[in-house]
Amino acid sequence: MGFWTLFEVASMPILQVLLISLLGAFMATDYFNLLNADARRSLNKIVFMVFTPALMFASLAKTVTLQDIISWWFMPINVGLTFLFGGLLGWILVKLLKPKPHLEGLVIATCSAGNLGNLVLIIIPAICNEEGSPFGKDHNACKSLGLSYASFSMAIGGFYIWTYTFNLVKSSALKYKALQAEEEAKDILKHPNKDVEANTETRLLEKETNTETKSNEQTEGFWHNLYNFVHQILEELMAPPTVAAIVGLIFGSIAWLRNLIIGDAAPLRVVQDSVKLLGDGTIPSITLILGGNLFQGLRQSKLKFWVIVGVVFVRYAMLPVIGIWVVKAAGSLGFLPPDPLYRFVLMLQFSLPPAMNIGTMTQLFDMAQEECSVLFLWTYVVAALALTMWSTVFMWILS
């Protein structure tokens, strides 16, 4: 496959995202007023509760079997390593550039969580359909296998995103609300206390009460903290996209359940088709919301320039190099099947732009939406060239 052919294949999905984002930005302007803040928030809840779970279930139940899960055992580890190395690099970036406290989680999230869903679903079949593809002459077989890899990648990525990344953005939202509460408290303290009942005795009683309260808090102990931790993890695992991914894997891996929804004679095929129809609304909805947030972000964001440069450098310079090293090391140890398309997907997982679900999370928590949109703008613009270059390198290594 020639360089310019590869450039066209790799850049088309990114250009589609940018064009639909531009439409969303126009819809959010005062002239159209179709995607104002309230509309974006409502649409985002629908994406979170309905569209994304439907997409996860429909893709997994149809394309991933139990044998696939067993033979592709290294892919969950590989995706976990993208989050691990990206998270470490994002943490270093935060320590060096010192963004505002409520943006720290966002920066680490954009460094660690890649778009393991829709971009892989688009890029892999497109490469398979090209003449001269290094992944075999049977385009249909390559496309079918590629879709299975992409769907499994999306499911694993969804699990990590809706647990690890969700917690990062949630922590940032709590910091943001704490800062707001602190600022409000400072405003209150600026005004003198005019309460005639406030005297020395009252202040002593308040001090005694506060001391008793702190003492009680310290007696909560290890088991109470452990209970809170486990409860938080279970709550995050019960996010609709994560639950849908688990159910989709169950249906795909158990033959009789799979036969209920897949195939012409499947009695519940209409359910699968209906769920798929809902899932098809995920990508355009998320991208329109991204564009709407982008319109506000360009006017209101105060994100540091070097933070944007740092995120771009981590995602497109450091992580792909780490990905090559990880895949080559795993292959030399015999952890990977010989299929070059499988290894290509593993390398590609290290070089993708940030997951668009991060924008969904900032919208859910009503925090850093503008900054998130600006980060997305530049990372996706750079991705048009970066994905092309790294795809060429990966194919050259595997050929």
Side-chain angles (χ1 to χ4, degrees):
M1 185 183 297
F3 176 83
W4 290 111
T5 302
L6 178 61
F7 180 87
E8 181 181 358
V9 171
S11 61
M12 282 301 147
I14 306 297
L15 292 177
Q16 291 173 11
V17 170
L18 293 176
L19 286 174
I20 299 175
S21 297
L22 185 62
L23 175 61
F26 279 115
M27 293 171 66
T29 60
D30 296 335
Y31 180 78
F32 292 101
N33 198 29
L34 294 174
L35 273 181
N36 55 38
D38 291 335
R40 294 198 303 273
R41 192 173 295 110
S42 298
L43 178 58
N44 207 59
K45 290 179 180 178
I46 296 174
V47 170
F48 176 69
M49 298 295 296
V50 180
F51 289 169
T52 301
L55 178 65
M56 301 286 278
F57 175 84
S59 299
L60 290 169
K62 182 178 181 180
T63 59
V64 180
T65 65
L66 179 60
Q67 183 60 39
D68 294 332
I69 296 173
I70 295 172
S71 60
W72 304 340
W73 66 269
F74 186 77
M75 189 178 288
I77 297 175
N78 191 73
V79 174
L81 291 175
T82 68
F83 279 77
L84 174 62
F85 288 115
L88 288 174
L89 293 171
W91 178 80
I92 294 172
L93 189 65
V94 164
K95 295 302 179 182
L96 292 175
L97 300 181
K98 301 185 184 303
K100 293 182 179 179
H102 71 280
L103 296 177
E104 292 178 357
L106 175 64
V107 172
I108 297 175
T110 51
C111 287
S112 60
N115 191 336
L116 298 163
N118 55 310
L119 278 183
V120 181
L121 284 169
I122 297 172
I123 291 174
I124 299 301
I127 292 177
C128 288
N129 286 333
E130 290 294 333
E131 294 295 331
S133 169
F135 304 124
K137 296 182 179 180
D138 189 342
H139 299 315
N140 291 330
C142 175
K143 184 177 178 180
S144 177
L145 187 58
L147 282 174
S148 298
Y149 292 153
S151 297
F152 196 43
S153 172
M154 179 178 64
I156 299 165
F159 175 79
Y160 282 103
I161 287 169
W162 290 107
T163 52
Y164 170 75
T165 308
F166 184 81
N167 187 56
L168 278 177
V169 178
K170 182 179 179 180
S171 299
S172 291
L174 293 176
K175 286 184 180 180
Y176 180 65
K177 293 177 181 178
L179 287 173
Q180 285 184 322
E182 185 178 342
E183 290 176 0
E184 292 176 359
K186 288 180 180 179
D187 291 338
I188 294 174
L189 290 175
K190 288 180 182 179
H191 299 85
N193 187 2
K194 298 181 179 180
D195 187 359
V196 296
E197 299 296 331
N199 51 33
T200 304
E201 182 179 355
T202 303
R203 288 193 291 272
L204 287 173
L205 289 173
E206 290 177 350
K207 183 177 180 181
E208 182 179 351
T209 302
N210 291 335
T211 303
E212 292 177 357
T213 301
K214 291 180 180 179
S215 177
N216 291 333
E217 290 175 351
Q218 292 174 352
T219 61
E220 290 180 350
F222 169 78
W223 291 111
H224 182 72
N225 293 333
L226 179 62
Y227 170 80
N228 289 337
F229 173 77
V230 173
H231 182 268
Q232 181 181 355
I233 294 297
L234 290 176
E235 183 178 343
E236 291 164 3
L237 286 175
M238 293 304 293
T242 306
V243 173
I246 295 172
V247 175
L249 286 173
I250 293 173
F251 269 78
S253 59
I254 299 176
W256 68 271
L257 287 176
R258 182 185 179 88
N259 293 334
L260 289 176
I261 59 175
I262 303 299
D264 295 335
L268 299 180
R269 183 183 175 185
V270 64
V271 175
Q272 167 72 5
D273 292 343
S274 300
V275 172
K276 183 181 182 301
L277 186 62
L278 282 173
D280 289 341
T282 304
I283 296 172
S285 298
I286 289 178
T287 312
L288 285 173
I289 294 170
L290 171 65
N293 290 337
L294 176 62
F295 174 72
Q296 298 296 325
L298 291 176
R299 299 191 303 179
Q300 300 178 11
S301 174
K302 298 179 181 179
L303 194 64
K304 293 179 180 179
F305 169 76
W306 287 111
V307 171
I308 300 173
V309 173
V311 172
V312 169
F313 181 73
V314 167
R315 289 228 64 94
Y316 302 126
M318 301 188 73
L319 281 178
V321 174
I322 294 173
I324 293 173
W325 176 82
V326 167
V327 175
K328 288 184 73 68
S332 64
L333 292 172
F335 293 161
L336 306 180
D339 183 12
L341 180 60
Y342 178 72
R343 301 187 182 204
F344 177 79
V345 172
L346 296 181
M347 290 183 180
L348 189 66
Q349 289 171 342
F350 280 89
S351 59
L352 297 165
M356 287 194 291
N357 285 329
I358 298 173
T360 300
M361 295 171 192
T362 60
Q363 191 84 27
L364 285 173
F365 292 112
D366 195 19
M367 182 276 305
Q369 300 167 49
E370 294 82 10
E371 290 84 355
C372 179
S373 295
V374 171
L375 275 175
F376 274 35
L377 170 66
W378 292 111
T379 51
Y380 274 80
V381 167
V382 176
L385 178 61
L387 269 178
T388 301
M389 298 300 297
W390 283 114
S391 296
T392 305
V393 172
F394 298 155
M395 290 182 183
W396 176 76
I397 292 173
L398 297 170
S399 61

